[in-house]
Amino acid sequence: MKPDAVAPALDLPTPESVRDAADRLRGVANRTPVMTSRTLDARCGGVVFLKCENFQRVGAFKFRGAYNAISRLPADARRRGVVTHSSGNHAQGIALAARLLGVPATVVMPEDAPTVKRAATASYGARIVACVAAEREAVSARLVQEEGLTLIHPYDNAHVIAGQGTAAWELLEETGPLDALLTPVGGGGLVSGTALASAALSPTCRVIGVEPALADDASRSWRLGEIVVLPAVPDTLADGLRTRFIGRRNLAVMRRHVADMITVSEAEIQEAWRFALERLKLVVEPSAAVPLAALLGRQVPAEWRRIGVILSGGNVDLSRAFGGRE
């Protein structure tokens, strides 16, 4: 698939879409803090600004896109309800946003989804439908057909993308222009939204997507210009990035606005996660440590002095992190 060929047929978000989403989310989403660390700066050779979405509602940036998308639905769609498929953070975002807006929500979750994310999703009032991870798209499609629900895709949705971009919008409003801005990449919602925000507020900033080497579908898709589908769900420590393929809208935006894609090893993710916990004193999940791994591994050019990082979330499954001892 050539993204430029399909882009005119898609409802692609724009930088103005992110601005509109920021207005809609004002007073609803948390304006999360931007933190710095002398220790991290010394390791990286520049000044690093950390946008801490681990302090966002539901503990992750996903609330932004979920609320922006559901709030724009017409009244009849709201009455019927929404459905999504997610391993955790988008599930929680949809569940809370739907509750705030009075919309019934159904979430299709893989059977091996982290316990902490499944429990939180249920606590917000969503109906959970469990399935094998590889079948979640098909199960969601069946519920749309049988129950008339509206699918809020985790990443291939223009309003979701625009909502995710509001994290970078806030960061750039606070920091001013940056040389580079790094985000983790799963389905591509955060990196594409970030790229749109940067295009509006810091046009010379290089937006860099970082993903696990074991889940490199986005990197391969971005380089080839067509969607690459991995043969199986990736077995990476970064459970929020276990996607087999990215979305069409995401790829179209990424090809236009993302400067580069980087991959990191499982060992590098583990080291960066430990660094965040022990040295930065920030409770983040492994997925959020992925862009930190690229920085700590010196994969960013030394001449880039002002660097932003979106720390995507903080929903750590303690039973996995500490071998079953909570």
Side-chain angles (χ1 to χ4, degrees):
M1 182 194 71
K2 302 296 184 184
D4 290 340
V6 302
L10 297 175
D11 54 330
L12 291 180
T14 65
E16 187 60 35
S17 303
V18 183
R19 185 191 304 273
D20 290 345
D23 290 340
R24 182 171 293 257
L25 286 164
R26 190 168 292 114
V28 179
N30 294 337
R31 188 176 180 98
T32 53
V34 177
M35 296 187 177
T36 58
S37 163
R38 294 184 182 89
T39 300
L40 179 60
D41 290 350
R43 286 281 300 270
C44 299
V47 180
V48 181
F49 301 93
L50 304 170
K51 180 62 169 171
C52 296
E53 286 295 285
N54 50 316
F55 296 116
Q56 186 52 260
R57 300 183 76 164
V58 311
F61 75 96
K62 291 283 192 175
F63 174 75
R64 296 174 180 273
Y67 188 92
N68 190 50
I70 296 176
S71 69
R72 295 176 185 274
L73 292 176
D76 60 333
R78 291 196 192 195
R79 283 193 298 270
R80 290 193 303 272
V82 298
V83 64
T84 195
H85 49 83
S86 168
S87 62
N89 284 339
H90 179 68
Q92 294 174 75
I94 287 291
L96 177 57
R99 190 182 76 180
L100 293 174
L101 293 164
V103 176
T106 298
V107 178
V108 178
M109 297 189 78
E111 295 169 340
D112 62 349
T115 303
V116 64
K117 298 181 180 181
R118 182 187 299 273
T121 301
S123 75
Y124 293 128
R127 173 179 63 150
I128 296 176
V129 176
C131 71
V132 176
E135 297 177 357
R136 55 188 176 182
E137 291 90 351
V139 173
S140 298
R142 175 175 57 79
L143 291 170
V144 169
Q145 181 68 28
E146 294 178 355
E147 301 183 15
L149 305 180
T150 297
L151 175 67
I152 307 295
H153 197 278
Y155 46 86
D156 195 359
N157 176 297
H159 297 313
V160 167
I161 293 170
Q164 317 304 33
T166 62
W169 190 278
E170 292 174 4
L171 172 64
L172 291 165
E173 282 183 332
E174 186 164 337
T175 65
L178 297 173
D179 295 321
L181 182 46
L182 280 64
T183 81
V185 181
L190 180 59
V191 71
S192 50
T194 295
L196 292 172
S198 179
L201 297 184
S202 185
T204 60
C205 176
R206 294 92 162 173
V207 174
I208 311 296
V210 190
E211 64 182 343
L214 293 180
D216 66 343
D217 56 294
S219 295
R220 292 162 63 184
S221 299
W222 180 80
R223 296 183 193 287
L224 289 174
E226 58 186 29
I227 293 176
V228 173
V229 181
L230 299 180
V233 176
D235 184 20
T236 172
L237 174 66
D239 61 270
L241 309 182
R242 291 174 182 165
T243 53
R244 296 176 56 225
F245 53 89
I246 61 173
R248 293 194 302 156
R249 292 169 183 80
N250 311 95
L251 181 56
V253 172
M254 289 166 63
R255 290 277 288 177
R256 293 178 182 179
H257 296 290
V258 170
D260 199 4
M261 293 289 298
I262 295 172
T263 61
V264 291
S265 70
E266 294 299 295
E268 289 172 320
I269 297 170
Q270 182 78 51
E271 179 186 352
W273 188 27
R274 180 179 293 275
F275 181 88
L277 296 171
E278 293 183 346
R279 302 305 301 273
L280 302 181
K281 312 305 179 186
L282 291 172
V283 178
V284 299
E285 57 196 84
S287 299
V290 167
L292 274 180
L295 279 180
L296 295 172
R298 298 282 184 163
Q299 294 201 56
V300 173
E303 60 268 24
W304 296 356
R305 304 295 298 171
R306 291 171 52 83
I307 301 169
V309 176
I310 308 292
L311 293 180
S312 53
N315 292 314
V316 180
D317 189 340
L318 296 179
S319 65
R320 294 184 179 185
F322 299 105
R325 299 185 302 275
E326 296 193 44

